[in-house]
Amino acid sequence: MFADHNLITADGVALASRLWRPDAPGPWPCLLMRQPYGRAIASTVTLPHPQWWCRHGFMVLVQDVRGQGDSGGVFKGFSQEAEDTATTLDWIRDHPDCNGRIGLYGFSYQGLTQLLAPEDCAPPDCMAPAMCGLDERHHWSCEGGAHWWHLGLGWGLQLAALQARRRKDQNAWGEIRESLENGRYLRNGRDLLERHDPDGMALRWLKLPADQADGWTQHHSPRSWLRRPLLLLGGWWDPHLRGVLDLAERSRAAGGSPELHIGPATHLQWWPQSSELLLNFFQRHLQDHSAPGENAGVVRLWDQGSDQWIDMPWTTADSPTASAIGWHLASDGLACLDPNEGRLLNPPEGSGGTVTVVHDPWRPVPAVGGHLSPSAGPCDRSSIDQRSDVAVFTSAPLQDTRVLNGRPVLRCEASADQPGFDLGVTLSRLPAGSTTTQQLSMGLRRVLGDSALRREERLVELQPVYASLQPGDRLRLSFAGTAWPAVAINPGTPHHPCGAPSLECRVISIALHLDKALLWIDPLLVLHPDGTPAD
């Protein structure tokens, strides 16, 4: 079944590891996962149990990272993983039951542990990092100049509870658990982190400015590793999707041919065929079930419009699909009250006008569905768009088929009557013959300081999307002054920290100046001519 081992690192720390072996003569190729949540779980929230892999001829090693589970040392987050990954690979290669072939797998934290290693460390045969990225600010904790609130606090408190368990601190564990269960973490989560995990990675992120690069860590994976066979899995409703796309671009820039699959998945709910996809990948690269590289470079995307998989080629900066759509906005001022008054136009005849969106912190517009909200995933946002603090701009019925493929970007001049405001922007499809509003993508932009008082151009980058639209469908763009609790409430002043609604939060009137407003879509995957990933 399994056996527990302690791997001793160069500095004397014991890394607790659990090894599952097939019930058949060896040696076998080994699958390695390094994770902070307890090796017995083995990421079965999304991935098959190690015994399933054993039935297919793999031995599996799942390890508690340093300072977590039963491993020794102090947990310091991502920065500790490179050397320990190298130590673990050396141990596996020397193990008599391993035939010398190694694949790495796992998602989220377990995805990043696959990618971090010293430059001179021999790479594994293949890797399957899912739903992760290398940039701690852009791929793990912030968007549009704002910290992830619901996700950042929730994950940080999970790690804090694991540390309380190691200390056998029942009171701290119980306080954290109760706050997560009753939802109070949205209000007191940061205080809990200050008390119970003051040196933790999550709290350090929350203390760094979300709109500045200073102090943030961007990790690097050895180029030799990025050239190895890579299977990259992402989800349209996963917060780390941009990190997965960045990894694909970096692998291509390093000379690799990654396989990329972006499916109908949230961070914790994947599509049913993902397990077989992983098995096929490891069988090809570790068991020679077919010619190596058979599917190298494939890009497969789930079409949110037709509910089917689409095979796509890689695009380049000069591809004709680089700017597939350009939509302009128009309103006479009633886009918050009349769902048919705000127009999304292509071509731009009649565009322009001004709309005022009033954000009341007593009843903030909730974030629903998408990649950052507590209810992540596909959703019907019809009831949200009917609110009077949401401005909606809807197109006429389409005359032909259109495909939204890439990274939506909105440019709009905006100003407010307070020195701070947020723009929460959502792109949706209104299917022909239906009363639903299918949310496709969302994004946000936080503005702080005197700049908020001036009429200036604001850019909002939305979550990447692939969705085919049929004749008769309509497209909609929605604006709100918040996306609670995906991000904390902007209080309307840069001198008060963002958090839950409080008496310090101000009502904010946000003017959208539509004369130059434009929505377009950048390519999903691009390499610059010099071979580096696009920013």
Side-chain angles (χ1 to χ4, degrees):
M1 296 291 288
F2 66 82
D4 285 330
H5 302 268
N6 280 329
L7 281 64
I8 308 302
T9 65
D11 59 351
V13 171
L15 300 180
S17 307
R18 181 161 292 181
L19 182 63
W20 286 263
R21 297 177 179 85
D23 186 17
W28 312 278
C30 182
L31 299 181
L32 169 64
M33 178 194 300
R34 302 186 59 252
Q35 53 75 54
Y37 306 112
R39 61 193 183 282
I41 298 173
S43 284
T44 49
V45 65
T46 58
L47 296 167
H49 191 275
Q51 291 177 346
W52 184 82
W53 293 106
C54 289
R55 290 197 294 271
H56 289 281
F58 300 94
M59 61 183 285
V60 180
L61 186 75
V62 180
Q63 182 183 90
D64 295 338
V65 299
R66 178 183 295 247
Q68 292 284 45
D70 293 325
S71 288
V74 178
F75 180 64
K76 297 182 179 179
F78 299 146
S79 61
Q80 69 186 29
E81 301 303 348
E83 293 294 338
D84 288 348
T85 294
T87 297
T88 306
L89 289 177
D90 289 341
W91 186 90
I92 294 173
R93 291 188 175 106
D94 290 338
H95 196 284
D97 289 335
C98 179
N99 65 8
R101 307 182 79 172
I102 303 173
L104 308 185
Y105 79 117
F107 83 113
S108 196
Y109 196 106
Q110 301 85 276
L112 189 55
T113 58
Q114 299 175 52
L115 297 160
L116 304 183
E119 286 291 336
D120 59 353
C121 180
D125 294 88
C126 56
M127 296 180 288
M131 298 184 178
C132 64
L134 294 170
D135 190 315
E136 292 188 4
R137 178 164 68 114
H138 292 300
H139 304 155
W140 288 94
S141 58
C142 302
E143 186 163 325
H147 292 95
W148 300 348
W149 194 246
H150 150 70
L151 287 172
L153 290 175
W155 185 53
L157 290 171
Q158 180 184 5
L159 293 175
L162 290 169
Q163 289 294 303
R165 182 178 182 181
R166 281 173 62 89
R167 301 190 306 268
K168 301 187 184 306
D169 186 342
Q170 179 63 48
N171 290 334
W173 190 95
E175 188 178 11
I176 292 169
R177 180 68 191 184
E178 182 179 5
S179 181
L180 289 168
E181 288 178 344
N182 62 27
R184 285 191 58 80
Y185 73 99
L186 296 172
R187 182 168 296 277
N188 68 1
R190 181 161 178 163
D191 292 338
L192 290 174
L193 291 175
E194 292 276 9
R195 292 205 307 274
H196 301 308
D197 196 14
D199 299 321
M201 183 167 57
L203 184 59
R204 177 173 60 82
W205 288 347
L206 287 170
K207 290 181 176 179
L208 290 172
D211 60 343
Q212 301 173 29
D214 292 348
W216 290 94
T217 300
Q218 180 165 285
H219 299 277
H220 298 277
S221 188
R223 289 177 64 86
S224 62
W225 287 51
L226 295 175
R227 287 194 292 268
R228 304 303 293 169
L230 280 180
L231 174 61
L232 300 172
L233 301 184
W236 292 126
W237 311 301
D238 176 64
H240 308 287
L241 178 55
R242 289 181 176 91
V244 171
L245 296 175
D246 177 73
L247 286 172
E249 293 170 345
R250 289 178 183 277
S251 175
R252 294 272 295 191
S257 296
E259 303 173 30
L260 174 65
H261 298 252
I262 305 176
T266 67
H267 196 58
L268 298 181
Q269 187 69 49
W270 294 10
W271 61 98
Q273 299 78 20
S274 57
S275 296
E276 293 294 332
L277 179 64
L278 285 161
L279 176 62
N280 176 272
F281 174 76
F282 288 126
Q283 286 179 331
R284 281 187 284 121
H285 296 290
L286 298 179
Q287 295 178 332
D288 298 326
H289 277 215
S290 60
E294 177 180 309
N295 293 328
V298 66
V299 177
R300 301 203 74 211
L301 309 177
W302 179 261
D303 183 344
Q304 295 185 51
S306 64
D307 289 339
Q308 62 183 356
W309 287 98
I310 304 295
D311 290 334
M312 295 292 298
W314 279 72
T315 59
T316 58
D318 58 354
S319 167
T321 62
S323 56
I325 294 181
W327 296 89
H328 301 260
L329 282 68
S331 174
D332 295 325
L334 295 179
C336 291
L337 297 171
D338 182 346
N340 299 310
E341 197 273 342
R343 282 101 58 202
L344 203 57
L345 303 171
N346 183 2
E349 285 82 358
S351 62
T354 300
V355 174
T356 300
V357 176
V358 178
H359 160 61
D360 181 356
W362 183 257
R363 52 186 302 272
V365 176
V368 296
H371 65 294
L372 292 179
S373 82
S375 58
C379 73
D380 176 6
R381 61 172 290 116
S382 299
S383 61
I384 303 298
D385 283 353
Q386 292 171 7
R387 293 175 54 125
S388 62
D389 50 359
V390 177
V392 298
F393 301 85
T394 309
S395 75
L398 300 178
Q399 300 301 307
D400 51 18
T401 300
R402 300 284 183 93
V403 176
L404 308 179
N405 174 22
R407 307 175 188 235
V409 181
L410 172 75
R411 181 185 70 210
C412 181
E413 292 183 344
S415 59
D417 63 348
Q418 304 295 333
F421 70 91
D422 287 354
L423 282 180
V425 181
T426 306
L427 183 64
S428 304
R429 167 191 176 225
L430 280 63
S434 173
T435 60
T436 63
T437 302
Q438 178 193 2
Q439 181 170 296
L440 299 173
S441 174
M442 67 86 61
L444 58 100
R445 171 61 58 186
R446 172 156 290 168
V447 182
L448 297 173
D450 291 341
S451 168
L453 303 171
R454 299 190 293 268
R455 175 175 173 172
E456 293 183 359
E457 180 179 287
R458 321 292 179 181
L459 288 179
V460 184
E461 298 180 7
L462 282 70
Q463 178 83 338
V465 65
Y466 187 101
S468 58
L469 307 179
Q470 302 304 315
D473 289 353
R474 291 179 293 162
L475 194 64
R476 171 173 288 177
L477 202 61
S478 307
F479 291 76
T482 188
W484 171 256
V487 298
I489 298 297
N490 190 325
T493 166
H495 307 299
H496 181 76
C498 296
S502 68
L503 58 85
E504 287 88 359
C505 294
R506 302 174 180 177
V507 173
I508 305 171
S509 294
I510 306 165
L512 306 175
H513 309 282
L514 306 178
D515 295 350
K516 300 178 181 178
L518 179 67
L519 170 72
W520 73 91
I521 297 189
D522 284 338
L524 188 70
L525 294 161
V526 172
L527 293 180
H528 288 312
D530 63 358
T532 60
D535 292 332

